[in-house]
mmCIF file of all heavy atoms in Angstrom:
data_model
loop_
_atom_site.group_PDB
_atom_site.id
_atom_site.type_symbol
_atom_site.label_atom_id
_atom_site.label_comp_id
_atom_site.label_asym_id
_atom_site.label_seq_id
_atom_site.Cartn_x
_atom_site.Cartn_y
_atom_site.Cartn_z
ATOM 1 N N VAL A 211 104.821 120.689 86.637
ATOM 2 C CA VAL A 211 104.625 119.701 87.706
ATOM 3 C C VAL A 211 103.276 119.010 87.541
ATOM 4 O O VAL A 211 103.160 117.796 87.755
ATOM 5 C CB VAL A 211 104.733 120.368 89.092
ATOM 6 C CG1 VAL A 211 104.588 119.324 90.194
ATOM 7 C CG2 VAL A 211 106.070 121.078 89.233
ATOM 8 N N ILE A 212 102.251 119.749 87.153
ATOM 9 C CA ILE A 212 100.938 119.142 86.932
ATOM 10 C C ILE A 212 101.012 118.096 85.821
ATOM 11 O O ILE A 212 100.442 117.003 85.936
ATOM 12 C CB ILE A 212 99.888 120.226 86.598
ATOM 13 C CG1 ILE A 212 99.609 121.093 87.831
ATOM 14 C CG2 ILE A 212 98.586 119.588 86.104
ATOM 15 C CD1 ILE A 212 98.707 122.281 87.569
ATOM 16 N N ILE A 213 101.737 118.412 84.757
ATOM 17 C CA ILE A 213 101.905 117.448 83.659
ATOM 18 C C ILE A 213 102.657 116.215 84.146
ATOM 19 O O ILE A 213 102.322 115.073 83.789
ATOM 20 C CB ILE A 213 102.634 118.104 82.467
ATOM 21 C CG1 ILE A 213 101.773 119.221 81.877
ATOM 22 C CG2 ILE A 213 102.964 117.068 81.394
ATOM 23 C CD1 ILE A 213 102.507 120.098 80.871
ATOM 24 N N THR A 214 103.675 116.424 84.980
ATOM 25 C CA THR A 214 104.433 115.298 85.538
ATOM 26 C C THR A 214 103.540 114.415 86.393
ATOM 27 O O THR A 214 103.554 113.181 86.274
ATOM 28 C CB THR A 214 105.618 115.813 86.379
ATOM 29 O OG1 THR A 214 106.443 116.654 85.573
ATOM 30 C CG2 THR A 214 106.449 114.657 86.906
ATOM 31 N N VAL A 215 102.755 115.040 87.266
ATOM 32 C CA VAL A 215 101.817 114.282 88.108
ATOM 33 C C VAL A 215 100.817 113.528 87.228
ATOM 34 O O VAL A 215 100.486 112.358 87.489
ATOM 35 C CB VAL A 215 101.086 115.230 89.075
ATOM 36 C CG1 VAL A 215 99.931 114.508 89.773
ATOM 37 C CG2 VAL A 215 102.060 115.795 90.106
ATOM 38 N N PHE A 216 100.341 114.193 86.193
ATOM 39 C CA PHE A 216 99.415 113.572 85.242
ATOM 40 C C PHE A 216 100.012 112.281 84.677
ATOM 41 O O PHE A 216 99.360 111.224 84.656
ATOM 42 C CB PHE A 216 99.106 114.568 84.127
ATOM 43 C CG PHE A 216 98.462 113.973 82.903
ATOM 44 C CD1 PHE A 216 97.096 113.764 82.858
ATOM 45 C CD2 PHE A 216 99.224 113.618 81.798
ATOM 46 C CE1 PHE A 216 96.499 113.207 81.732
ATOM 47 C CE2 PHE A 216 98.642 113.068 80.674
ATOM 48 C CZ PHE A 216 97.267 112.854 80.637
ATOM 49 N N LEU A 217 101.256 112.345 84.228
ATOM 50 C CA LEU A 217 101.895 111.179 83.614
ATOM 51 C C LEU A 217 102.093 110.050 84.622
ATOM 52 O O LEU A 217 101.856 108.871 84.294
ATOM 53 C CB LEU A 217 103.237 111.588 82.992
ATOM 54 C CG LEU A 217 103.147 112.510 81.771
ATOM 55 C CD1 LEU A 217 104.534 112.987 81.357
ATOM 56 C CD2 LEU A 217 102.464 111.806 80.607
ATOM 57 N N TYR A 218 102.517 110.398 85.842
ATOM 58 C CA TYR A 218 102.732 109.361 86.854
ATOM 59 C C TYR A 218 101.423 108.762 87.355
ATOM 60 O O TYR A 218 101.411 107.643 87.887
ATOM 61 C CB TYR A 218 103.519 109.927 88.037
ATOM 62 C CG TYR A 218 105.009 109.978 87.805
ATOM 63 C CD1 TYR A 218 105.673 111.191 87.680
ATOM 64 C CD2 TYR A 218 105.756 108.813 87.700
ATOM 65 C CE1 TYR A 218 107.038 111.251 87.452
ATOM 66 C CE2 TYR A 218 107.119 108.857 87.473
ATOM 67 C CZ TYR A 218 107.760 110.074 87.350
ATOM 68 O OH TYR A 218 109.116 110.131 87.117
ATOM 69 N N SER A 219 100.322 109.482 87.205
ATOM 70 C CA SER A 219 99.027 108.991 87.698
ATOM 71 C C SER A 219 98.342 108.065 86.703
ATOM 72 O O SER A 219 97.387 107.365 87.073
ATOM 73 C CB SER A 219 98.099 110.175 88.009
ATOM 74 O OG SER A 219 98.658 111.009 88.997
ATOM 75 N N LEU A 220 98.796 108.058 85.465
ATOM 76 C CA LEU A 220 98.123 107.252 84.446
ATOM 77 C C LEU A 220 98.143 105.763 84.768
ATOM 78 O O LEU A 220 97.121 105.082 84.654
ATOM 79 C CB LEU A 220 98.776 107.491 83.077
ATOM 80 C CG LEU A 220 98.528 108.854 82.434
ATOM 81 C CD1 LEU A 220 99.342 108.977 81.147
ATOM 82 C CD2 LEU A 220 97.056 109.073 82.149
ATOM 83 N N LEU A 221 99.314 105.248 85.181
ATOM 84 C CA LEU A 221 99.457 103.802 85.378
ATOM 85 C C LEU A 221 98.490 103.253 86.425
ATOM 86 O O LEU A 221 97.732 102.319 86.120
ATOM 87 C CB LEU A 221 100.900 103.442 85.727
ATOM 88 C CG LEU A 221 101.138 101.950 86.012
ATOM 89 C CD1 LEU A 221 100.858 101.116 84.775
ATOM 90 C CD2 LEU A 221 102.568 101.715 86.492
ATOM 91 N N PRO A 222 98.481 103.757 87.668
ATOM 92 C CA PRO A 222 97.577 103.151 88.651
ATOM 93 C C PRO A 222 96.105 103.278 88.279
ATOM 94 O O PRO A 222 95.313 102.369 88.546
ATOM 95 C CB PRO A 222 97.892 103.906 89.946
ATOM 96 C CG PRO A 222 98.581 105.158 89.525
ATOM 97 C CD PRO A 222 99.298 104.826 88.271
ATOM 98 N N ILE A 223 95.730 104.379 87.630
ATOM 99 C CA ILE A 223 94.317 104.565 87.288
ATOM 100 C C ILE A 223 93.922 103.648 86.136
ATOM 101 O O ILE A 223 92.860 103.004 86.169
ATOM 102 C CB ILE A 223 94.017 106.040 86.966
ATOM 103 C CG1 ILE A 223 94.338 106.924 88.172
ATOM 104 C CG2 ILE A 223 92.551 106.212 86.588
ATOM 105 C CD1 ILE A 223 94.203 108.412 87.918
ATOM 106 N N VAL A 224 94.769 103.573 85.096
ATOM 107 C CA VAL A 224 94.477 102.684 83.968
ATOM 108 C C VAL A 224 94.408 101.236 84.432
ATOM 109 O O VAL A 224 93.462 100.501 84.093
ATOM 110 C CB VAL A 224 95.540 102.837 82.853
ATOM 111 C CG1 VAL A 224 95.431 101.708 81.833
ATOM 112 C CG2 VAL A 224 95.374 104.168 82.142
ATOM 113 N N LYS A 225 95.399 100.796 85.202
ATOM 114 C CA LYS A 225 95.442 99.398 85.645
ATOM 115 C C LYS A 225 94.238 99.038 86.503
ATOM 116 O O LYS A 225 93.638 97.978 86.341
ATOM 117 C CB LYS A 225 96.743 99.126 86.413
ATOM 118 C CG LYS A 225 97.967 99.025 85.525
ATOM 119 C CD LYS A 225 99.223 98.721 86.329
ATOM 120 C CE LYS A 225 99.217 97.307 86.853
ATOM 121 N NZ LYS A 225 100.517 96.969 87.498
ATOM 122 N N ASN A 226 93.881 99.916 87.434
ATOM 123 C CA ASN A 226 92.764 99.604 88.313
ATOM 124 C C ASN A 226 91.428 99.657 87.579
ATOM 125 O O ASN A 226 90.521 98.859 87.867
ATOM 126 C CB ASN A 226 92.750 100.562 89.511
ATOM 127 C CG ASN A 226 93.725 100.145 90.588
ATOM 128 O OD1 ASN A 226 94.902 99.927 90.312
ATOM 129 N ND2 ASN A 226 93.261 100.011 91.811
ATOM 130 N N THR A 227 91.298 100.603 86.656
ATOM 131 C CA THR A 227 90.065 100.650 85.856
ATOM 132 C C THR A 227 89.928 99.384 85.024
ATOM 133 O O THR A 227 88.847 98.770 84.972
ATOM 134 C CB THR A 227 90.064 101.884 84.944
ATOM 135 O OG1 THR A 227 90.210 103.066 85.726
ATOM 136 C CG2 THR A 227 88.757 101.963 84.147
ATOM 137 N N TYR A 228 91.019 98.991 84.396
ATOM 138 C CA TYR A 228 91.014 97.758 83.595
ATOM 139 C C TYR A 228 90.641 96.550 84.450
ATOM 140 O O TYR A 228 89.771 95.747 84.076
ATOM 141 C CB TYR A 228 92.395 97.569 82.970
ATOM 142 C CG TYR A 228 92.595 96.247 82.271
ATOM 143 C CD1 TYR A 228 92.013 95.986 81.033
ATOM 144 C CD2 TYR A 228 93.383 95.245 82.858
ATOM 145 C CE1 TYR A 228 92.209 94.773 80.393
ATOM 146 C CE2 TYR A 228 93.570 94.026 82.222
ATOM 147 C CZ TYR A 228 92.983 93.799 80.987
ATOM 148 O OH TYR A 228 93.162 92.590 80.367
ATOM 149 N N ALA A 229 91.285 96.437 85.618
ATOM 150 C CA ALA A 229 91.006 95.300 86.498
ATOM 151 C C ALA A 229 89.564 95.326 86.998
ATOM 152 O O ALA A 229 88.897 94.281 87.045
ATOM 153 C CB ALA A 229 91.969 95.313 87.683
ATOM 154 N N GLY A 230 89.081 96.513 87.369
ATOM 155 C CA GLY A 230 87.716 96.613 87.879
ATOM 156 C C GLY A 230 86.682 96.227 86.844
ATOM 157 O O GLY A 230 85.727 95.493 87.147
ATOM 158 N N VAL A 231 86.861 96.677 85.612
ATOM 159 C CA VAL A 231 85.897 96.373 84.553
ATOM 160 C C VAL A 231 85.972 94.902 84.156
ATOM 161 O O VAL A 231 84.934 94.251 83.940
ATOM 162 C CB VAL A 231 86.137 97.282 83.331
ATOM 163 C CG1 VAL A 231 85.207 96.895 82.179
ATOM 164 C CG2 VAL A 231 85.914 98.743 83.702
ATOM 165 N N LYS A 232 87.173 94.357 84.067
ATOM 166 C CA LYS A 232 87.328 92.954 83.679
ATOM 167 C C LYS A 232 86.723 92.003 84.711
ATOM 168 O O LYS A 232 86.300 90.896 84.357
ATOM 169 C CB LYS A 232 88.816 92.616 83.498
ATOM 170 C CG LYS A 232 89.454 93.222 82.272
ATOM 171 C CD LYS A 232 88.890 92.658 80.978
ATOM 172 C CE LYS A 232 89.388 91.271 80.694
ATOM 173 N NZ LYS A 232 88.913 90.772 79.364
ATOM 174 N N ASN A 233 86.676 92.441 85.969
ATOM 175 C CA ASN A 233 86.168 91.568 87.031
ATOM 176 C C ASN A 233 84.668 91.691 87.259
ATOM 177 O O ASN A 233 84.127 91.058 88.164
ATOM 178 C CB ASN A 233 86.905 91.858 88.348
ATOM 179 C CG ASN A 233 88.335 91.352 88.325
ATOM 180 O OD1 ASN A 233 88.631 90.349 87.673
ATOM 181 N ND2 ASN A 233 89.229 92.042 89.008
ATOM 182 N N VAL A 234 83.999 92.522 86.466
ATOM 183 C CA VAL A 234 82.542 92.603 86.579
ATOM 184 C C VAL A 234 81.937 91.261 86.169
ATOM 185 O O VAL A 234 82.331 90.669 85.154
ATOM 186 C CB VAL A 234 81.977 93.738 85.693
ATOM 187 C CG1 VAL A 234 80.452 93.713 85.671
ATOM 188 C CG2 VAL A 234 82.465 95.091 86.202
ATOM 189 N N ASP A 235 80.994 90.786 86.957
ATOM 190 C CA ASP A 235 80.355 89.492 86.703
ATOM 191 C C ASP A 235 79.683 89.508 85.324
ATOM 192 O O ASP A 235 78.822 90.344 85.051
ATOM 193 C CB ASP A 235 79.320 89.223 87.796
ATOM 194 C CG ASP A 235 78.805 87.792 87.771
ATOM 195 O OD1 ASP A 235 78.989 87.111 86.743
ATOM 196 O OD2 ASP A 235 78.203 87.356 88.771
ATOM 197 N N HIS A 236 80.069 88.546 84.475
ATOM 198 C CA HIS A 236 79.493 88.488 83.125
ATOM 199 C C HIS A 236 78.004 88.176 83.163
ATOM 200 O O HIS A 236 77.269 88.533 82.220
ATOM 201 C CB HIS A 236 80.229 87.438 82.294
ATOM 202 C CG HIS A 236 81.596 87.859 81.880
ATOM 203 N ND1 HIS A 236 81.826 88.801 80.896
ATOM 204 C CD2 HIS A 236 82.830 87.495 82.336
ATOM 205 C CE1 HIS A 236 83.124 88.979 80.741
ATOM 206 N NE2 HIS A 236 83.763 88.209 81.606
ATOM 207 N N ALA A 237 77.543 87.541 84.230
ATOM 208 C CA ALA A 237 76.105 87.262 84.336
ATOM 209 C C ALA A 237 75.304 88.553 84.411
ATOM 210 O O ALA A 237 74.194 88.646 83.865
ATOM 211 C CB ALA A 237 75.831 86.403 85.572
ATOM 212 N N LEU A 238 75.881 89.570 85.073
ATOM 213 C CA LEU A 238 75.202 90.863 85.147
ATOM 214 C C LEU A 238 75.143 91.519 83.772
ATOM 215 O O LEU A 238 74.119 92.121 83.407
ATOM 216 C CB LEU A 238 75.933 91.776 86.136
ATOM 217 C CG LEU A 238 75.922 91.348 87.606
ATOM 218 C CD1 LEU A 238 76.801 92.285 88.426
ATOM 219 C CD2 LEU A 238 74.497 91.365 88.147
ATOM 220 N N LEU A 239 76.229 91.413 83.011
ATOM 221 C CA LEU A 239 76.242 91.981 81.670
ATOM 222 C C LEU A 239 75.266 91.260 80.750
ATOM 223 O O LEU A 239 74.558 91.898 79.954
ATOM 224 C CB LEU A 239 77.660 91.918 81.085
ATOM 225 C CG LEU A 239 78.732 92.700 81.845
ATOM 226 C CD1 LEU A 239 80.109 92.466 81.213
ATOM 227 C CD2 LEU A 239 78.419 94.186 81.856
ATOM 228 N N ASP A 240 75.194 89.941 80.892
ATOM 229 C CA ASP A 240 74.245 89.176 80.084
ATOM 230 C C ASP A 240 72.813 89.553 80.437
ATOM 231 O O ASP A 240 71.945 89.652 79.553
ATOM 232 C CB ASP A 240 74.456 87.675 80.293
ATOM 233 C CG ASP A 240 75.766 87.178 79.693
ATOM 234 O OD1 ASP A 240 76.296 87.866 78.786
ATOM 235 O OD2 ASP A 240 76.274 86.131 80.147
#
């Protein structure tokens, strides 16, 4: 069950991490 939960949790965490990082202001990175 832990492995199943692990697999189902990947999508929302990956997508939100990707979206959060992509939306960081490039001026701050510069």
Side-chain angles (χ1 to χ4, degrees):
V211 182
I212 291 174
I213 295 169
T214 303
V215 170
F216 165 83
L217 292 173
Y218 278 112
S219 300
L220 289 175
L221 178 64
I223 300 174
V224 167
K225 285 181 71 173
N226 279 52
T227 303
Y228 172 74
V231 175
K232 288 294 285 185
N233 288 329
V234 173
D235 191 343
H236 287 286
L238 294 175
L239 298 176
D240 291 338

